[in-house]
Tab-separated table of all heavy atoms in Angstrom:
chain	number	residue	atom	x	y	z
A	1	GLY	N	1.722	20.548	5.398
A	1	GLY	CA	0.466	20.163	6.033
A	1	GLY	C	0.659	18.872	6.790
A	1	GLY	O	1.638	18.159	6.603
A	2	SER	N	-0.296	18.533	7.645
A	2	SER	CA	-0.148	17.342	8.464
A	2	SER	C	-0.306	16.071	7.647
A	2	SER	O	0.194	15.022	8.020
A	2	SER	CB	-1.182	17.357	9.595
A	2	SER	OG	-2.480	17.416	9.064
A	3	VAL	N	-1.010	16.148	6.514
A	3	VAL	CA	-1.201	14.997	5.647
A	3	VAL	C	-0.820	15.424	4.243
A	3	VAL	O	-1.165	16.501	3.799
A	3	VAL	CB	-2.676	14.528	5.671
A	3	VAL	CG1	-2.859	13.307	4.795
A	3	VAL	CG2	-3.113	14.217	7.094
A	4	THR	N	-0.072	14.572	3.527
A	4	THR	CA	0.470	15.007	2.254
A	4	THR	C	-0.486	14.822	1.085
A	4	THR	O	-0.297	15.417	0.050
A	4	THR	CB	1.790	14.276	1.942
A	4	THR	OG1	1.554	12.865	1.973
A	4	THR	CG2	2.857	14.626	2.930
A	5	TYR	N	-1.512	13.951	1.205
A	5	TYR	CA	-2.457	13.862	0.095
A	5	TYR	C	-3.409	15.043	0.182
A	5	TYR	O	-3.600	15.626	1.216
A	5	TYR	CB	-3.235	12.525	0.117
A	5	TYR	CG	-4.116	12.336	1.319
A	5	TYR	CD1	-5.416	12.859	1.350
A	5	TYR	CD2	-3.654	11.655	2.436
A	5	TYR	CE1	-6.219	12.702	2.471
A	5	TYR	CE2	-4.458	11.494	3.547
A	5	TYR	CZ	-5.727	12.018	3.554
A	5	TYR	OH	-6.527	11.853	4.648
A	6	GLY	N	-4.029	15.370	-0.951
A	6	GLY	CA	-4.887	16.541	-0.942
A	6	GLY	C	-6.291	16.294	-1.447
A	6	GLY	O	-7.166	17.123	-1.258
A	7	THR	N	-6.555	15.178	-2.127
A	7	THR	CA	-7.873	14.924	-2.687
A	7	THR	C	-8.373	13.556	-2.269
A	7	THR	O	-7.597	12.688	-1.864
A	7	THR	CB	-7.823	14.985	-4.222
A	7	THR	OG1	-7.012	13.896	-4.698
A	7	THR	CG2	-7.225	16.291	-4.721
A	8	ASP	N	-9.694	13.350	-2.394
A	8	ASP	CA	-10.270	12.042	-2.075
A	8	ASP	C	-9.690	10.959	-2.978
A	8	ASP	O	-9.459	9.837	-2.545
A	8	ASP	CB	-11.804	12.094	-2.254
A	8	ASP	CG	-12.470	12.936	-1.185
A	8	ASP	OD1	-11.835	13.157	-0.135
A	8	ASP	OD2	-13.606	13.385	-1.406
A	9	ARG	N	-9.458	11.320	-4.227
A	9	ARG	CA	-8.901	10.358	-5.182
A	9	ARG	C	-7.515	9.893	-4.734
A	9	ARG	O	-7.193	8.715	-4.790
A	9	ARG	CB	-8.832	10.985	-6.577
A	9	ARG	CG	-8.279	10.041	-7.636
A	9	ARG	CD	-8.262	10.711	-9.009
A	9	ARG	NE	-7.618	9.867	-10.002
A	9	ARG	CZ	-8.210	8.837	-10.592
A	9	ARG	NH1	-9.452	8.522	-10.297
A	9	ARG	NH2	-7.561	8.121	-11.491
A	10	GLU	N	-6.677	10.836	-4.295
A	10	GLU	CA	-5.337	10.481	-3.828
A	10	GLU	C	-5.415	9.580	-2.599
A	10	GLU	O	-4.661	8.616	-2.480
A	10	GLU	CB	-4.538	11.746	-3.513
A	10	GLU	CG	-4.063	12.474	-4.758
A	10	GLU	CD	-3.368	13.776	-4.445
A	10	GLU	OE1	-3.544	14.287	-3.323
A	10	GLU	OE2	-2.664	14.294	-5.322
A	11	TYR	N	-6.353	9.895	-1.684
A	11	TYR	CA	-6.523	9.060	-0.494
A	11	TYR	C	-6.873	7.629	-0.894
A	11	TYR	O	-6.314	6.665	-0.372
A	11	TYR	CB	-7.626	9.633	0.405
A	11	TYR	CG	-7.854	8.797	1.641
A	11	TYR	CD1	-7.097	9.013	2.791
A	11	TYR	CD2	-8.802	7.767	1.658
A	11	TYR	CE1	-7.276	8.237	3.921
A	11	TYR	CE2	-8.979	6.989	2.788
A	11	TYR	CZ	-8.218	7.228	3.910
A	11	TYR	OH	-8.392	6.440	5.015
A	12	GLU	N	-7.793	7.482	-1.836
A	12	GLU	CA	-8.208	6.156	-2.303
A	12	GLU	C	-7.042	5.404	-2.932
A	12	GLU	O	-6.884	4.192	-2.739
A	12	GLU	CB	-9.345	6.285	-3.318
A	12	GLU	CG	-10.690	6.665	-2.691
A	12	GLU	CD	-11.719	7.103	-3.732
A	12	GLU	OE1	-11.462	6.906	-4.934
A	12	GLU	OE2	-12.761	7.650	-3.318
A	13	GLU	N	-6.206	6.125	-3.671
A	13	GLU	CA	-5.046	5.491	-4.319
A	13	GLU	C	-4.042	4.989	-3.288
A	13	GLU	O	-3.483	3.909	-3.424
A	13	GLU	CB	-4.394	6.477	-5.287
A	13	GLU	CG	-5.210	6.653	-6.568
A	13	GLU	CD	-4.691	7.761	-7.465
A	13	GLU	OE1	-3.722	8.448	-7.071
A	13	GLU	OE2	-5.251	7.936	-8.560
A	14	TYR	N	-3.805	5.799	-2.239
A	14	TYR	CA	-2.887	5.361	-1.177
A	14	TYR	C	-3.446	4.146	-0.428
A	14	TYR	O	-2.704	3.221	-0.085
A	14	TYR	CB	-2.610	6.502	-0.192
A	14	TYR	CG	-1.675	7.559	-0.732
A	14	TYR	CD1	-2.060	8.898	-0.799
A	14	TYR	CD2	-0.400	7.229	-1.166
A	14	TYR	CE1	-1.200	9.876	-1.298
A	14	TYR	CE2	0.465	8.197	-1.661
A	14	TYR	CZ	0.063	9.514	-1.727
A	14	TYR	OH	0.915	10.464	-2.216
A	15	ALA	N	-4.745	4.155	-0.167
A	15	ALA	CA	-5.376	3.035	0.526
A	15	ALA	C	-5.252	1.756	-0.294
A	15	ALA	O	-5.003	0.664	0.241
A	15	ALA	CB	-6.843	3.352	0.812
A	16	LYS	N	-5.403	1.878	-1.617
A	16	LYS	CA	-5.282	0.735	-2.517
A	16	LYS	C	-3.841	0.240	-2.552
A	16	LYS	O	-3.569	-0.964	-2.529
A	16	LYS	CB	-5.735	1.152	-3.924
A	16	LYS	CG	-6.174	0.003	-4.811
A	16	LYS	CD	-7.526	-0.528	-4.372
A	16	LYS	CE	-8.022	-1.607	-5.317
A	16	LYS	NZ	-9.110	-2.405	-4.720
A	17	ALA	N	-2.901	1.186	-2.603
A	17	ALA	CA	-1.475	0.838	-2.596
A	17	ALA	C	-1.130	0.062	-1.328
A	17	ALA	O	-0.406	-0.946	-1.374
A	17	ALA	CB	-0.627	2.102	-2.683
A	18	LYS	N	-1.648	0.509	-0.198
A	18	LYS	CA	-1.415	-0.157	1.089
A	18	LYS	C	-1.903	-1.611	1.038
A	18	LYS	O	-1.197	-2.538	1.455
A	18	LYS	CB	-2.137	0.615	2.193
A	18	LYS	CG	-2.129	-0.031	3.559
A	18	LYS	CD	-2.822	0.871	4.564
A	18	LYS	CE	-3.133	0.174	5.868
A	18	LYS	NZ	-4.255	-0.758	5.766
A	19	GLU	N	-3.078	-1.811	0.496
A	19	GLU	CA	-3.671	-3.158	0.393
A	19	GLU	C	-2.761	-4.090	-0.419
A	19	GLU	O	-2.469	-5.220	0.003
A	19	GLU	CB	-5.040	-3.032	-0.282
A	19	GLU	CG	-5.780	-4.342	-0.450
A	19	GLU	CD	-7.044	-4.188	-1.302
A	19	GLU	OE1	-7.642	-3.083	-1.304
A	19	GLU	OE2	-7.417	-5.167	-1.973
A	20	TYR	N	-2.303	-3.628	-1.578
A	20	TYR	CA	-1.458	-4.464	-2.440
A	20	TYR	C	-0.081	-4.705	-1.842
A	20	TYR	O	0.474	-5.806	-1.948
A	20	TYR	CB	-1.334	-3.833	-3.829
A	20	TYR	CG	-2.566	-4.043	-4.675
A	20	TYR	CD1	-3.432	-2.995	-4.958
A	20	TYR	CD2	-2.894	-5.302	-5.187
A	20	TYR	CE1	-4.579	-3.178	-5.718
A	20	TYR	CE2	-4.038	-5.499	-5.955
A	20	TYR	CZ	-4.870	-4.437	-6.221
A	20	TYR	OH	-6.002	-4.633	-6.967
A	21	LEU	N	0.488	-3.680	-1.212
A	21	LEU	CA	1.809	-3.830	-0.598
A	21	LEU	C	1.780	-4.798	0.577
A	21	LEU	O	2.726	-5.545	0.797
A	21	LEU	CB	2.344	-2.465	-0.156
A	21	LEU	CG	2.825	-1.551	-1.290
A	21	LEU	CD1	3.014	-0.128	-0.799
A	21	LEU	CD2	4.127	-2.081	-1.897
A	22	GLU	N	0.699	-4.788	1.342
A	22	GLU	CA	0.569	-5.724	2.467
A	22	GLU	C	0.490	-7.166	1.969
A	22	GLU	O	1.047	-8.078	2.589
A	22	GLU	CB	-0.638	-5.360	3.321
A	22	GLU	CG	-0.379	-4.140	4.205
A	22	GLU	CD	-1.597	-3.630	4.944
A	22	GLU	OE1	-2.731	-3.960	4.519
A	22	GLU	OE2	-1.425	-2.876	5.929
A	23	LYS	N	-0.183	-7.377	0.834
A	23	LYS	CA	-0.241	-8.723	0.231
A	23	LYS	C	1.151	-9.148	-0.253
A	23	LYS	O	1.577	-10.285	-0.050
A	23	LYS	CB	-1.222	-8.732	-0.944
A	23	LYS	CG	-2.686	-8.695	-0.526
A	23	LYS	CD	-3.608	-8.636	-1.742
A	23	LYS	CE	-5.077	-8.576	-1.304
A	23	LYS	NZ	-5.987	-8.406	-2.455
A	24	ASP	N	1.842	-8.213	-0.881
A	24	ASP	CA	3.194	-8.482	-1.376
A	24	ASP	C	4.133	-8.816	-0.219
A	24	ASP	O	4.951	-9.742	-0.312
A	24	ASP	CB	3.702	-7.254	-2.138
A	24	ASP	CG	4.991	-7.517	-2.907
A	24	ASP	OD1	5.242	-8.690	-3.255
A	24	ASP	OD2	5.734	-6.568	-3.165
A	25	LEU	N	4.005	-8.070	0.885
A	25	LEU	CA	4.848	-8.293	2.060
A	25	LEU	C	4.676	-9.700	2.612
A	25	LEU	O	5.656	-10.383	2.939
A	25	LEU	CB	4.520	-7.261	3.148
A	25	LEU	CG	5.264	-7.413	4.467
A	25	LEU	CD1	6.768	-7.302	4.276
A	25	LEU	CD2	4.779	-6.368	5.470
A	26	VAL	N	3.442	-10.166	2.712
A	26	VAL	CA	3.160	-11.519	3.209
A	26	VAL	C	3.916	-12.550	2.370
A	26	VAL	O	4.551	-13.470	2.901
A	26	VAL	CB	1.641	-11.814	3.200
A	26	VAL	CG1	1.373	-13.296	3.457
A	26	VAL	CG2	0.931	-10.961	4.245
A	27	MET	N	3.867	-12.392	1.051
A	27	MET	CA	4.546	-13.336	0.152
A	27	MET	C	6.058	-13.274	0.306
A	27	MET	O	6.737	-14.304	0.305
A	27	MET	CB	4.138	-13.064	-1.300
A	27	MET	CG	2.715	-13.489	-1.615
A	27	MET	SD	2.335	-13.400	-3.372
A	27	MET	CE	1.992	-11.652	-3.547
A	28	LYS	N	6.606	-12.055	0.425
A	28	LYS	CA	8.061	-11.901	0.567
A	28	LYS	C	8.551	-12.573	1.860
A	28	LYS	O	9.604	-13.207	1.877
A	28	LYS	CB	8.454	-10.417	0.585
A	28	LYS	CG	8.119	-9.635	-0.679
A	28	LYS	CD	8.856	-10.133	-1.891
A	28	LYS	CE	8.575	-9.226	-3.082
A	28	LYS	NZ	9.009	-9.812	-4.352
A	29	VAL	N	7.791	-12.411	2.936
A	29	VAL	CA	8.161	-13.032	4.216
A	29	VAL	C	8.081	-14.554	4.086
A	29	VAL	O	8.978	-15.276	4.549
A	29	VAL	CB	7.247	-12.529	5.360
A	29	VAL	CG1	7.513	-13.312	6.640
A	29	VAL	CG2	7.458	-11.033	5.598
A	30	GLU	N	7.038	-15.065	3.445
A	30	GLU	CA	6.835	-16.511	3.258
A	30	GLU	C	7.993	-17.167	2.517
A	30	GLU	O	8.437	-18.252	2.875
A	30	GLU	CB	5.551	-16.768	2.468
A	30	GLU	CG	4.293	-16.818	3.323
A	30	GLU	CD	3.033	-17.002	2.481
A	30	GLU	OE1	3.153	-17.294	1.265
A	30	GLU	OE2	1.922	-16.843	3.035
A	31	ILE	N	8.493	-16.501	1.451
A	31	ILE	CA	9.552	-17.110	0.630
A	31	ILE	C	10.959	-16.730	1.106
A	31	ILE	O	11.957	-17.153	0.540
A	31	ILE	CB	9.386	-16.754	-0.863
A	31	ILE	CG1	9.547	-15.238	-1.104
A	31	ILE	CG2	8.048	-17.257	-1.393
A	31	ILE	CD1	9.537	-14.838	-2.568
A	32	GLY	N	11.022	-15.938	2.160
A	32	GLY	CA	12.317	-15.567	2.739
A	32	GLY	C	13.117	-14.578	1.921
A	32	GLY	O	14.347	-14.550	1.982
A	33	ASP	N	12.427	-13.733	1.154
A	33	ASP	CA	13.092	-12.711	0.347
A	33	ASP	C	13.290	-11.460	1.200
A	33	ASP	O	12.437	-10.576	1.260
A	33	ASP	CB	12.236	-12.411	-0.891
A	33	ASP	CG	12.831	-11.320	-1.786
A	33	ASP	OD1	13.891	-10.773	-1.423
A	33	ASP	OD2	12.228	-11.017	-2.828
A	34	ARG	N	14.480	-11.382	1.857
A	34	ARG	CA	14.741	-10.284	2.798
A	34	ARG	C	14.811	-8.925	2.094
A	34	ARG	O	14.291	-7.930	2.606
A	34	ARG	CB	16.060	-10.528	3.547
A	34	ARG	CG	15.982	-11.626	4.580
A	34	ARG	CD	15.154	-11.246	5.778
A	34	ARG	NE	15.905	-10.526	6.792
A	34	ARG	CZ	15.346	-9.890	7.810
A	34	ARG	NH1	14.025	-9.858	7.943
A	34	ARG	NH2	16.077	-9.258	8.710
A	35	ALA	N	15.450	-8.903	0.918
A	35	ALA	CA	15.558	-7.638	0.189
A	35	ALA	C	14.171	-7.145	-0.219
A	35	ALA	O	13.841	-5.965	-0.066
A	35	ALA	CB	16.437	-7.812	-1.045
């Protein structure tokens, strides 16, 4: 299918994951943690 999630709950979980990962990314860039 064009989108791999199948339920509203899964969509909400991915959206939440995106939010937390973006926060984590900001911190990793700030401290110079390339890995």
Side-chain angles (χ1 to χ4, degrees):
S2 59
V3 182
T4 56
Y5 64 85
T7 66
D8 290 340
R9 181 179 174 79
E10 285 176 342
Y11 179 87
E12 287 167 11
E13 285 172 357
Y14 285 123
K16 203 73 176 163
K18 173 177 167 286
E19 180 188 331
Y20 283 108
L21 286 166
E22 284 173 340
K23 286 177 181 175
D24 190 25
L25 177 60
V26 169
M27 288 189 279
K28 298 297 185 193
V29 172
E30 274 177 11
I31 64 174
D33 178 358
R34 287 290 274 168

